[in-house]
Amino acid sequence: MNRPLSVPGLEEFVFDLEEVIKERRSTRMFLPDRPVPRRLVDEALALAIRAPSSSNIQPWHLVFASGAARDRLVVALLREAHGRPPRVPVLPPSFAHLRRHLGAQVYGSMGIAREDTDARRTAVLRNWEFFRAPLAGIVCMHRDLGCVDAIGVGMFLQTLLLALTARGLGTCVQVSIAGYPEIVHAQLAIPPEFSVLCGLAVGYPDPAFPANNLRIGRQPIDENVTFLDY
Ligand SMILES: Cc1cc2nc3c(=O)[nH]c(=O)nc-3n(C[C@H](O)[C@H](O)[C@H](O)COP(=O)(O)O)c2cc1C
């Protein structure tokens, strides 16, 4: 983040796109008492809605909860998470090694040993506290839409993450929140026609939490991209 650009009309610095892309990472511990200025979220949303979508239907639907609404949601989610596992999509076995590798990095950086199931559980439960973020987002899409529209939501979401990062905010996208959709629907009065895709924690990262500084690696590009005659 060392090459800020001053943009006329914006009071704050925004950052070079490549720097912001490299700077964004998942934050897993926020400063609970440092509120997120609404103006920054509004600015980020104004950029995120520039994302492309199939037939320009703009399939994203977001609900943000802070203050008492956020706290009520967290209490209800934690109560549920203590009672039963979340319903999250099963990962096919051929991808399981990637999740194991991620877990080793994330929990390792928190100083949690692989066999320390109690400490892991405590860390996992922080998902349903939105990692203590003061702003809890719920990312939804109309239930009648499909995969191609989920691409549009994803494009919106990454743009939103980058715009928030450029404003000094931390974020974490959370499928874990979608593991208890009925709780989220009930607590935030989300209409039934919207499916809960994931949560989005937003806040200022806790600088004292080592896992916030993790740089999760990526596979070599040729594992995922093929060029033919090029
Ligand atoms: C759709 C989606 C769902 C995710 N769900 C969770 C989650 O439930 N809990 C969590 O801690 N991280 C979650 N993440 C964050 C990923 O683990 C993270 O993006 C990935 O490991 C790469 O790390 P980075 O974001 O720090 O670059 C999710 C990310 C995405 C895009």
Side-chain angles (χ1 to χ4, degrees):
M1 305 253 299
N2 49 3
R3 281 192 286 124
L5 304 172
S6 178
V7 174
L10 272 188
E11 288 163 36
E12 306 222 345
F13 282 134
V14 293
F15 294 90
D16 175 84
L17 177 63
E18 290 192 21
E19 293 297 325
V20 176
I21 291 170
K22 289 185 208 152
E23 178 61 24
R24 189 216 55 80
R25 69 197 73 175
S26 294
T27 296
R28 293 189 177 86
M29 186 65 81
F30 294 85
L31 297 174
D33 299 324
R34 188 165 171 202
V36 177
R38 172 67 188 269
R39 182 177 56 84
L40 299 185
V41 176
D42 288 342
E43 285 175 9
L45 285 168
L47 292 168
I49 62 171
R50 301 308 308 161
S53 58
S54 178
S55 301
N56 196 29
I57 64 161
Q58 301 156 67
W60 44 83
H61 186 90
L62 260 77
V63 178
F64 281 110
S66 71
R70 176 248 177 236
D71 294 349
R72 273 196 307 274
L73 174 63
V74 164
V75 167
L77 284 172
L78 279 177
R79 193 187 306 123
E80 205 66 15
H82 276 100
R84 66 174 171 97
R87 272 198 318 273
V88 287
V90 177
L91 195 62
S94 57
F95 291 90
H97 65 288
L98 291 168
R99 180 157 64 188
R100 270 198 307 276
H101 187 52
L102 173 67
Q105 292 174 83
V106 170
Y107 298 119
S109 73
M110 294 178 190
I112 300 173
R114 200 171 149 63
E115 58 285 357
D116 191 346
T117 46
D118 285 351
R120 273 198 177 220
R121 171 117 183 98
T122 302
V124 169
L125 279 170
R126 285 200 287 265
N127 267 284
W128 294 288
E129 282 185 89
F130 293 86
F131 302 109
R132 305 199 177 137
L135 187 59
I138 305 295
V139 181
C140 304
M141 187 177 82
H142 195 284
R143 65 180 171 207
D144 295 344
L145 297 176
C147 277
V148 76
D149 307 300
I151 294 174
V153 178
M155 300 188 99
F156 163 87
L157 195 52
Q158 167 72 344
T159 311
L160 182 63
L161 300 187
L162 294 178
L164 291 169
T165 304
R167 284 159 179 75
L169 287 156
T171 56
C172 191
V173 178
Q174 300 180 265
V175 71
S176 45
I177 300 297
Y180 302 107
E182 54 294 312
I183 304 293
V184 178
H185 274 277
Q187 290 296 323
L188 302 185
I190 295 175
E193 63 269 26
F194 289 115
S195 305
V196 175
L197 297 186
C198 61
L200 173 63
V202 184
Y204 289 95
D206 181 344
F209 192 66
N212 283 347
N213 297 322
L214 259 184
R215 304 319 314 243
I216 298 295
R218 298 295 191 262
Q219 304 187 116
I221 290 169
D222 61 10
E223 290 263 331
N224 299 66
V225 181
T226 304
F227 292 103
L228 300 175
D229 294 338
Y230 181 64

